[in-house]
Amino acid sequence: LPVNVNANSEKPVALVTGANRGIGFEVSRQIAARGYRVLMTARDDTKGQKAARILINEGYDVVFYQLDVQRLDEQKVVNDLRFYIDQNLGRVDALINNAGVFLDPSKARGGSPSVFDSKLALIRQTMDINVYGPLVLTQLVMPYMRRQHHGRIVNVSSGMGQMSEMGSGYPAYRLSKVSLNALTKIVATEVEQDFHEPDILCNTVCPGWVQTDMGGAGATIPVTQGAEMIVWLATLPKNAGRDPRLVSSIGAKKAINGLFMRGKKVLSW
Ligand SMILES: NC(=O)c1ccc[n+]([C@@H]2O[C@H](COP(=O)([O-])OP(=O)(O)OC[C@H]3O[C@@H](n4cnc5c(N)ncnc54)[C@H](OP(=O)(O)O)[C@@H]3O)[C@@H](O)[C@H]2O)c1
């Protein structure tokens, strides 16, 4: 596998995107509290450094790396991140694809959310950030996970990407989250059936309507709670994903893999 190990973190390592604020910041804090070293990433260097400093001052083991997930189509950006991980961490135990944008116009902001008014450039940008970034990061971390036969990928999705509840408007965001859910299922199935890696798990989560900048004024769920399910999946202990009692407790059938979840319960796609 194409991984050079020059440095090995003794602790498990979790990579979080969009870690400077909102759910990503809280997820970083909660995962660090579970004894992980967290690789916090953010597109803005200053904001990311500041966020990491807060958690360091709280006593947590976090490091910061500047990463704009929209730039993961550039091979240099991918290579630089891999080099950083090899030099400084040597492993990735969990990937949390949290960074996301909601760019569709809304009536509240004086625009139209209708699919008939949507602009392709905005849909493409949303797909780059919400789907293709996570896809490339999944490709990047998989060799580390396969080497230790263990790994957790958590994609932060939304009920707006639930096919069975699909409604009107906001096509960029909706399409991106439907695609992220599909990506989750594709990855989970390949890892299980082609790689035969029963302890590498890939799941997607709707955090609910969470009190962050994206959630806005009406959001009902505190960010600490919105982060919980993501953290639970990201830090599931070794082999727990196929523990029959745990599997049935969340309403799953075979394994905690390839699932769409909200609040510790399986959601329909
Ligand atoms: N809040 C909710 O009610 C809710 C509901 C369902 C799903 N979600 C999902 O939860 C995730 C986190 O959302 P949130 O509520 O915490 O939103 P938020 O407060 O708006 O934070 C979004 C985060 O994503 C980062 N980001 C955006 N574009 C990026 C890029 N190109 N590269 C790297 N980072 C980028 C932002 O960085 P900057 O600070 O640089 O902008 C920020 O850190 C998203 O995937 C969202 O779709 C949220």
Side-chain angles (χ1 to χ4, degrees), residues 22-28 30-31 96 98 154-158 204-212 219-233 261-264:
I23 294 171
F25 178 69
E26 181 59 27
V27 162
S28 300
Q30 291 186 18
I31 292 180
I96 297 86
N98 161 81
V154 185
N155 294 325
V156 184
S157 184
S158 162
T204 177
V205 175
C206 168
W209 194 12
V210 183
Q211 292 161 350
T212 62
T220 50
I221 299 176
V223 70
T224 45
Q225 192 185 327
E228 270 171 17
M229 190 59 210
I230 300 164
V231 172
W232 187 78
L233 285 167
M261 309 222 26
R262 183 194 280 147
K264 275 209 181 173

Side-chain angles (χ1 to χ4, degrees), residues 8-64:
N8 260 314
S9 169
E10 279 176 19
K11 288 183 180 179
V13 170
L15 192 172
V16 182
T17 64
N20 57 296
R21 63 187 167 105
I23 294 171
F25 178 69
E26 181 59 27
V27 162
S28 300
R29 175 189 268 140
Q30 291 186 18
I31 292 180
R34 279 163 179 68
Y36 283 61
R37 175 167 291 166
V38 179
L39 175 53
M40 296 174 74
T41 69
R43 62 178 159 181
D44 185 296
D45 196 51
T46 310
K47 288 182 192 164
Q49 299 269 13
K50 206 172 150 193
R53 178 59 51 197
I54 293 171
L55 295 191
I56 290 166
N57 288 342
E58 290 178 11
Y60 294 121
D61 185 0
V62 306
V63 286
F64 174 71

Side-chain angles (χ1 to χ4, degrees), residues 43 68-72 97-105 109 113 118-135 156-158 160-161 169-181 183 214:
R43 62 178 159 181
D68 182 341
V69 301
Q70 197 179 347
R71 290 189 53 206
L72 284 162
N97 282 313
N98 161 81
V101 286
F102 191 132
L103 300 175
D104 297 89
R109 283 177 276 149
S118 59
K119 298 276 180 283
L120 211 45
L122 187 140
I123 296 179
R124 287 198 171 118
Q125 187 188 353
T126 304
M127 293 297 282
D128 281 343
I129 296 170
N130 292 8
V131 187
Y132 306 138
L135 189 156
V156 184
S157 184
S158 162
M160 290 181 76
Y170 313 102
Y173 191 72
R174 286 188 187 281
L175 287 168
S176 75
K177 295 304 189 185
V178 169
S179 300
L180 185 65
N181 286 358
L183 174 69
M214 188 188 288

Side-chain angles (χ1 to χ4, degrees), residues 151-217:
R152 309 282 179 251
I153 298 171
V154 185
N155 294 325
V156 184
S157 184
S158 162
M160 290 181 76
Q162 192 175 12
M163 281 299 297
S164 49
E165 297 285 323
M166 194 52 61
S168 69
Y170 313 102
Y173 191 72
R174 286 188 187 281
L175 287 168
S176 75
K177 295 304 189 185
V178 169
S179 300
L180 185 65
N181 286 358
L183 174 69
T184 304
K185 195 81 190 186
I186 296 167
V187 170
T189 309
E190 281 201 31
V191 165
E192 192 171 298
Q193 293 180 3
D194 299 345
F195 294 168
H196 306 289
E197 291 284 3
D199 199 34
I200 298 178
L201 311 171
C202 179
N203 294 288
T204 177
V205 175
C206 168
W209 194 12
V210 183
Q211 292 161 350
T212 62
D213 294 337
M214 188 188 288

